[in-house]
Amino acid sequence: MDIDTLLNKHYAGRVVRKDLTKKVKEGYNVPVYVLEYLLGMYCASDDEEAIREGLEQVKGILANNYVRPDESEKIKSKIKELGSYTIIDKVTVKLNENRDRYEAEFSNLGIKGIEMEGNYIKKFDKLLAGGIWCILNMGYFYDELKNSGSPFTINDLKPIQMPNMDMNEIFEGRKHFTKDEWIDVLLRSSGLEPEHFTQKVKWHFLTRLIPLVENNYNMCELGPRGTGKSHIYKEISPYSVLVSGGQTTVANLFYNMSRNVIGLVGLWDVVAFDEVAGIKFKDKDGIQIMKDFMASGSFVRGRDQKNANASMVFIGNINQSVDFLIKTSHLFIPFPEEMNSDTAFFDRMHYYLPGWEIPKMRPEYFTDRFGFIVDYLAEYLREMRKTSFTDVLDRYFRIGNNLNQRDVIAIRKTVSGLVKLLYPDGNFSREDIKEILEYALTGRRRVKEQLKKIGGMEFYDVHFSYIDNETMEEHFVSVPEQGTGKLIPEGPGKPGHVYTVARGDTMIGVYKIELQIVSGTGKLQRSGFGANSSAKESVNVAFNYFKATSKQISSSINTKIKDYHLHVQDLQGVGLPEDLTLLAFVSLCSGAMDRAVQEQMVILGGMSIGGTITKVPELANSLQVCFDAGAKKVLLPLSSAVDIATVPPELFAKFQTSFYNDPVDAAYKALGVG
């Protein structure tokens, strides 16, 4: 049986053909859940004639009852002339303290100040926060004696959402679908055609749904424009709110102390920030309160601690290539300046969704097949927030030792969210959990990799793993964009080719010097230095020192009959360091002796004009960069031995380390001589 048949058999009346949504959506600018609420009422069938008749009814309702902004006066006239009239509009409510009453504002009808009964507020409190789409029966009564208020009245109000949800229906129906079929059901329910996407991309789409099923889940998705990042949070669920980039306030987002009213985090399941580059708090303590909430699901306002379950989603665009960002900065750089170097803020992210792996949306990517009515989907997702699967991985696996407590919490939440989506009935296998766990580890490691770049050694350990409880075998996960190709390749190098790690203009980077020696008269040529005069001068110092000590290095060296062309490469594009003296000196010795430096070796430290060795600043951070670049051996100045205590033992153990006393000693040990 195909998926459409299975859906209509096991979820009869809960599904709709998604091409109907597209057909109607084009003519009416209403959220998908509004359309499908109506389509579910009139078109929940696989009978073509019934669908056609139902579609005409829906179009009729939208034509006659949906309020178009340009026809608002016409609708207002109908309400007045007929005495009562049913409309579809978005309603927002505010408390008018001066008149001690709630007042409604209609988005498309363009009227406000309509008195609203308090019982509606008690039942549907989201009316107070951003508003909700409703079907309303409106009345009209003009009182000459009381002409200060609006003559419009609300006779009846019904939010456009399902009145109840039978989760057993979901659980029983799920048993008739395989894992892959169920993934396709979820994707089609959100309007996408899974046949056009790889398995990895399908999982990324599923991950966008995790904040809707998991309480207090913090997720970030940055990527190119046009990949549908905001669609889920804007169209699919009436329980999520999309905050457009721009200024916001603590009162709006968390708690209004003057009115004693909870903000968005208490009224919505998901608060999504569109265009993160534009996030700006008017309040100085806004970011700190957000960090508190993301960490614990609570915040303090005044003397009280408030709790809320909203998930936080951060969406934004990456304008440069991912490769460029990885080399030059970090993948959180699109965030505003006051956030993009705040490690405490980003450490609270449970998952970083790689938006660059999702293709830009094209017409054929949207489905014409059956899927859940989005309102049914939204209610299923919301009900699953009452359940937790954070402990399911313990049945089969345990987390590796390199993960701290925040890492573990993030992994467990992601696993729980994906289990709720894929196996809501709790019927899963070891392999199912393994697949989910590896995916969860990858997303959290992506966060940690960026934290390491921003915060240095505090976040040095990014080697995430899990251990099988049966075999006790440890499995490590990698992050695709970090690449498997190392900056320092395996295998022997060429004479004159040497590597170092040092602080450039913006961060610690990896640098390589290449040397070419030809017949000549003892001249030095340089390239790759740009306008960096300090780096150029340091190479001149190295060349002079080389000429002065050449006979001490090897009696066979004659600097007067050779020309030396020295080229420097900034392998990560972070700007050249000021001091390349020692590296250039070792390169000249290596080239002159026609002997390569030891395989995968990095030379750390510097030297003065007189040959005095300077120790390595930021030793721990430098060694971490060495390891990430692929180094296996490190050559250190003896003066840096006192700083080894600052290096985590497990990191120091990754290298074969040797020490040198002076430049010539450094050259000998680098070349493996003596």
Side-chain angles (χ1 to χ4, degrees):
M1 263 190 240
D2 68 2
I3 296 175
D4 287 355
T5 306
L6 284 169
L7 278 172
N8 278 289
K9 181 179 179 181
H10 300 290
Y11 293 103
R14 305 300 193 188
V15 296
V16 68
R17 227 174 59 203
K18 295 295 176 173
D19 61 327
L20 303 179
T21 306
K22 283 193 293 185
K23 286 177 183 176
V24 183
K25 175 76 173 165
E26 289 168 359
Y28 303 93
N29 188 24
V30 294
V32 172
Y33 54 83
V34 174
L35 289 180
E36 294 198 357
Y37 177 85
L38 297 170
L39 290 169
M41 288 175 65
Y42 299 102
C43 303
S45 170
D46 55 358
D47 182 272
E48 286 295 330
E49 183 61 26
I51 289 173
R52 190 186 61 77
E53 290 176 3
L55 197 59
E56 290 305 312
Q57 282 184 281
V58 171
K59 287 180 178 178
I61 291 168
L62 289 172
N64 297 318
N65 304 109
Y66 167 68
V67 181
R68 289 176 45 172
D70 60 336
E71 294 185 348
S72 59
E73 293 301 321
K74 184 177 167 183
I75 299 295
K76 284 192 282 186
S77 174
K78 278 190 177 181
I79 299 169
K80 178 181 181 302
E81 296 304 324
L82 298 174
S84 70
Y85 191 71
T86 300
I87 67 168
I88 298 173
D89 202 353
K90 187 178 182 183
V91 184
T92 308
V93 177
K94 293 180 180 177
L95 175 65
N96 186 332
E97 299 95 333
N98 298 324
R99 303 185 68 184
D100 188 30
R101 69 178 197 176
Y102 293 104
E103 294 180 349
E105 181 177 342
F106 291 71
S107 177
N108 290 353
L109 196 57
I111 58 175
K112 56 184 178 181
I114 316 300
E115 187 171 1
M116 168 86 62
E117 291 179 19
N119 65 311
Y120 290 125
I121 304 300
K122 290 176 184 176
K123 287 195 290 185
F124 317 117
D125 54 7
K126 287 186 178 64
L127 288 164
L128 294 165
I132 52 178
W133 285 86
C134 305
I135 297 177
L136 307 103
N137 184 266
M138 299 292 294
Y140 187 92
F141 177 73
Y142 182 74
D143 189 346
E144 292 183 356
L145 300 174
K146 188 182 173 184
N147 59 7
S148 58
S150 173
F152 292 99
T153 59
I154 299 172
N155 299 332
D156 187 45
L157 181 150
K158 185 180 180 183
I160 293 182
Q161 59 191 74
M162 291 189 63
N164 53 58
M165 183 70 193
D166 181 6
M167 291 306 291
N168 286 325
E169 186 179 61
I170 287 283
F171 301 154
E172 288 300 315
R174 170 66 180 90
K175 295 174 182 177
H176 302 280
F177 296 81
T178 65
K179 179 200 72 178
D180 290 332
E181 286 174 342
W182 189 251
I183 290 174
D184 289 356
V185 167
L186 292 175
L187 262 61
R188 284 177 180 162
S189 299
S190 57
L192 300 168
E193 180 46 61
E195 289 183 1
H196 296 289
F197 304 115
T198 63
Q199 199 66 15
K200 181 194 281 187
V201 173
K202 288 182 184 182
W203 278 74
H204 292 341
F205 285 132
L206 283 180
T207 306
R208 287 177 174 175
L209 296 172
I210 295 178
L212 292 164
V213 296
E214 194 67 24
N215 294 320
N216 300 113
Y217 189 79
N218 310 317
M219 190 182 81
C220 168
E221 181 183 354
L222 303 177
R225 293 171 174 81
T227 56
K229 293 187 287 290
S230 61
H231 172 74
I232 289 290
Y233 314 110
K234 188 177 182 181
E235 301 279 4
I236 297 302
S237 174
Y239 302 112
S240 64
V241 62
L242 189 69
V243 180
S244 297
Q247 284 198 348
T248 188
T249 62
V250 170
N252 179 52
L253 197 56
F254 296 103
Y255 193 80
N256 190 320
M257 291 180 64
S258 63
R259 294 168 56 191
N260 294 323
V261 175
I262 194 83
L264 298 176
V265 296
L267 296 165
W268 300 89
D269 290 348
V270 178
V271 179
F273 294 88
D274 199 8
E275 300 298 339
V276 294
I279 297 175
K280 191 171 182 178
F281 279 96
K282 290 182 181 179
D283 319 77
K284 291 182 180 178
D285 58 347
I287 293 174
Q288 186 56 50
I289 293 173
M290 182 180 280
K291 287 195 286 191
D292 291 345
F293 176 74
M294 289 169 69
S296 62
S298 63
F299 56 93
V300 176
R301 296 299 287 156
R303 289 181 288 182
D304 298 327
Q305 179 171 296
K306 307 292 180 182
N307 297 292
N309 295 320
S311 295
M312 307 284 272
V313 178
F314 301 88
I315 302 163
N317 298 318
I318 290 179
N319 299 316
Q320 302 97 334
S321 74
V322 173
D323 289 342
F324 178 79
L325 286 181
I326 287 173
K327 285 184 177 180
T328 60
S329 56
H330 56 84
L331 294 176
F332 285 123
I333 204 70
F335 278 80
E337 191 175 342
E338 57 268 29
M339 288 183 181
N340 66 23
S341 59
D342 190 337
T343 54
F345 175 74
F346 294 125
D347 199 19
R348 288 155 168 78
M349 293 288 181
H350 298 133
Y351 202 94
Y352 188 131
L353 189 61
W356 54 88
E357 293 183 0
I358 297 174
K360 292 193 175 190
M361 292 293 107
R362 304 205 309 247
E364 61 265 30
Y365 291 170
F366 298 96
T367 191
D368 293 334
R369 308 278 292 277
F370 278 88
F372 290 136
I373 298 165
V374 288
D375 204 44
Y376 185 72
L377 174 69
E379 292 296 328
Y380 149 49
L381 299 178
R382 191 171 208 230
E383 281 296 311
M384 291 306 297
R385 294 176 77 89
K386 300 173 183 177
T387 310
S388 178
F389 288 111
T390 53
D391 60 341
V392 295
L393 63 89
D394 298 332
R395 300 182 197 179
Y396 312 111
F397 309 100
R398 58 187 175 92
I399 304 295
N401 296 327
N402 292 338
L403 283 78
N404 63 31
Q405 184 60 20
R406 278 197 175 145
D407 299 327
V408 173
I409 290 170
I411 301 302
R412 289 186 180 279
K413 278 182 162 290
T414 304
V415 169
S416 175
L418 286 170
V419 170
K420 289 178 189 181
L421 290 166
L422 293 174
Y423 313 103
D425 54 352
N427 186 16
F428 46 76
S429 67
R430 169 188 291 272
E431 286 304 310
D432 295 332
I433 299 301
K434 180 182 177 181
E435 184 180 30
I436 289 173
L437 178 57
E438 288 181 351
Y439 184 81
L441 282 162
T442 303
R444 176 59 188 179
R445 180 174 172 178
R446 185 173 289 110
V447 173
K448 209 63 180 290
E449 290 278 2
Q450 310 319 308
L451 288 173
K452 185 181 71 175
K453 290 190 172 187
I454 302 168
M457 283 314 297
E458 183 184 352
F459 305 98
Y460 80 95
D461 214 336
V462 297
H463 302 286
F464 282 19
S465 64
Y466 64 94
I467 299 163
D468 191 307
N469 287 342
E470 284 187 0
T471 64
M472 300 308 293
E473 186 179 353
E474 188 170 14
H475 302 269
F476 288 85
V477 298
S478 59
V479 185
E481 65 271 9
Q482 295 300 122
T484 53
K486 299 291 187 180
L487 293 173
I488 303 172
E490 295 180 4
K494 296 179 180 178
H497 289 207
V498 290
Y499 294 89
T500 192
V501 164
R503 178 162 287 282
D505 290 342
T506 56
M507 56 193 288
I508 296 174
V510 184
Y511 306 92
K512 181 185 182 184
I513 282 181
E514 297 178 355
L515 183 71
Q516 187 179 13
I517 302 177
V518 295
S519 299
T521 56
K523 294 178 183 176
L524 173 69
Q525 289 183 302
R526 302 169 309 227
S527 60
F529 291 84
N532 194 319
S533 56
S534 298
K536 288 178 184 176
E537 184 57 34
S538 72
V539 171
N540 290 339
V541 169
F543 187 60
N544 291 333
Y545 192 84
F546 168 70
K547 288 192 292 184
T549 58
S550 60
K551 294 301 179 187
Q552 183 183 342
I553 298 160
S554 174
S555 58
S556 63
I557 298 175
N558 187 346
T559 60
K560 294 180 180 180
I561 61 172
K562 302 288 183 181
D563 283 346
Y564 303 83
H565 182 186
L566 191 146
H567 177 76
V568 65
Q569 291 185 49
D570 178 0
L571 296 179
Q572 293 178 297
V574 298
L576 292 178
E578 293 183 356
D579 185 7
L580 287 169
T581 315
L582 183 70
L583 190 71
F585 175 73
V586 174
S587 171
L588 289 162
C589 295
S590 170
M593 295 174 69
D594 197 27
R595 187 180 180 104
V597 169
Q598 294 187 58
E599 186 177 334
Q600 291 180 285
M601 174 173 272
V602 171
I603 302 160
L604 297 179
M607 61 179 275
S608 68
I609 192 167
T612 303
I613 297 298
T614 57
K615 73 175 191 175
V616 183
E618 304 178 81
L619 179 61
N621 289 335
S622 297
L623 287 176
Q624 181 63 54
V625 174
C626 288
F627 178 71
D628 293 340
K632 296 288 181 28
K633 300 174 182 177
V634 175
L635 188 60
L636 289 173
L638 193 59
S639 55
S640 289
V642 296
D643 295 329
I644 289 173
T646 66
V647 182
E650 46 277 43
L651 175 62
F652 193 74
K654 304 284 189 187
F655 305 103
Q656 183 183 326
T657 309
S658 49
F659 297 90
Y660 62 89
N661 288 300
D662 55 60
V664 176
D665 187 30
Y668 280 160
K669 286 178 175 169
L671 300 173
V673 179

